[in-house]
Amino acid sequence: MAQAMGFFTDTSVCIGCKACETACKAWNQLPAKDGGKPPMTGDSYDNTARLSGEDWRHVKFIEQFDEDRTNGRWLMMSDVCKHCVTAPCLEVCPTGAIIRTEFDTVVIQSDACNGCQLCIAACPFGVIDVNPVSKTAEKCTLCYDRLQAGMKPACAQACPTDSIQFGPITQLRQTAAARLTQLHEQGEKRASLYGADDSILGGLNSFYLLLDKPQAYGLPAHPTMPTRNLLWGSLSSAAAAVIIGVAGLLGLRARRLNEQAGQEKAPDA
Amino acid sequence: MPDTFFTATPDWGWLVVGYLFIGGLVGGCFFLAAMLHLAGRPTDRPIVHAGYVLAMLGAMIGGILLVVHLSQPLRFWHMLVQSNTGSPMFKAWSPMSVGSWGFAAFSLFATVAAVGAWAEARHPGSRLSSVARRWPGAVIAAVGGALALFVAGYTGVMFSVTNRPLWGDSAWLGGLFLSSAAATAAALLAIIASWRGGGQHATLQWLQRIGAAALVVELLFLVAYVVSLGAAARGLAGVWGWALGAVLVGGVLVPLVMQSSKQATHGNPRLFMAAALVMVGGFLLRTVIVFSSSAIHVSGSGVHGL
């Protein structure tokens, strides 16, 4: 396997320009929504609303302001597939369409996917959606085609502030740790890393430097594998089956005994 | 906010609700029919036959719903065969993968059992009929009965094995779906037994008894489900919470009381009412489980639908 590659997204330098969104759509030939009509979400400068089959990058705008807007700050974050090391989508996919590549990234093979959408329900980050043209589940491929040609992913190439950095995971983790130290030394104590170690789903190959709690960015604090419920879910089902089955058989046995008793009594009557 | 609330919703609507209901209903029908087949007596046979035929019809309808709900329906076979290698596709840890095989096998057994039932009812002297009555029929009933239980329960486990609100927040959906499936099946077969008249009196009584047992189990799992949700139970605030309450009262408690007060007899409207409530409750339960979660989704910088 080639080296594990990924993204380190430093949200502290994101300026919300959406060059990543545009570059991603252009390179991956993703369709426009509603025939290209300008969407109005009414949610800050966010006109993409969410990651979807048509948008594999989504810049979030989080406005943290006082009531009178005298104090406050903007949080901006370019959201994308996290390319989890233990990926819930890959785990549950019943067709084998979702694979792990030689770059340790997670890719959905569109020609194998039949659109059951279980991966959408499994993803803890709300990343996957059905693309209306291919009618299959789609998401960021970490530009698998570009990686195979030795190129940077389109979004990282386009990012003008290096908020999105691409490279080998080991190197990115060192860069992130150094940046975190720098921010802490400058007094930005709220800065933290999200997914830069193995604690979240074995590590996120697309990890973040955040300036607030993960939830403020719409990220789950402790995402887990869906199979955490497999054992107890199966046991609950089996328990119900055993109880109802035994009740049914006991009922049939009682009926047979009653009938036998009735037949024995009958000659005396 | 619970971690599951930061996820996106699959577009699972009425087709999935329909499959959950019909799959559970006919899985339950086959299971009850198989019990009567293996441990019952000759007067139970008409209900055994009805259970098997319903299972076959339901497997056909359920299979169609499953295929049509895919956004690429013609690739339904990718669930069973790897499209690029041609080797079997199976993941023991993915309930949908195991479920695809289980449902396919159940459909096969339900069809064979229904053919046997048809032969027994319409051509009692035929060779097929005698095969259906002897050990091959019993084997079909036993293996098919186990598969039927699997079909009735795996969907609940599949919903628990996700990261969606109100699904992945509880491990008890498998037991809830299975017990509800058995209750709806007992209700449907009880209606049929009641229509068929006096010959099925003992069968009807047994169906009512096992239906009541299934409702009690369903009640326990429903309570366990809501309690296990913890903080995620806020997703049930509003119309879906009321609908789940309606399932609890109208689909479980009222039919239990109606059935326990007096043994219903044939053609009794009380029996029919209780059975109809159980079936409507079973359908509403699946509607609530699917749509209450789908109402919650991320958009912009927050979670919507709460």
Side-chain angles (χ1 to χ4, degrees), chain A residues 132-149:
Chain A
V133 175
S134 68
K135 294 188 166 50
T136 59
E138 290 195 3
K139 67 167 190 73
C140 163
T141 65
L142 219 141
C143 280
Y144 187 35
D145 48 352
R146 291 172 68 100
L147 260 54
Q148 285 171 312

Side-chain angles (χ1 to χ4, degrees), chain B residues 189-203:
Chain B
L189 292 177
I191 291 175
I192 293 170
S194 171
W195 269 336
R196 291 188 65 97
Q200 259 74 62
H201 184 67
T203 318

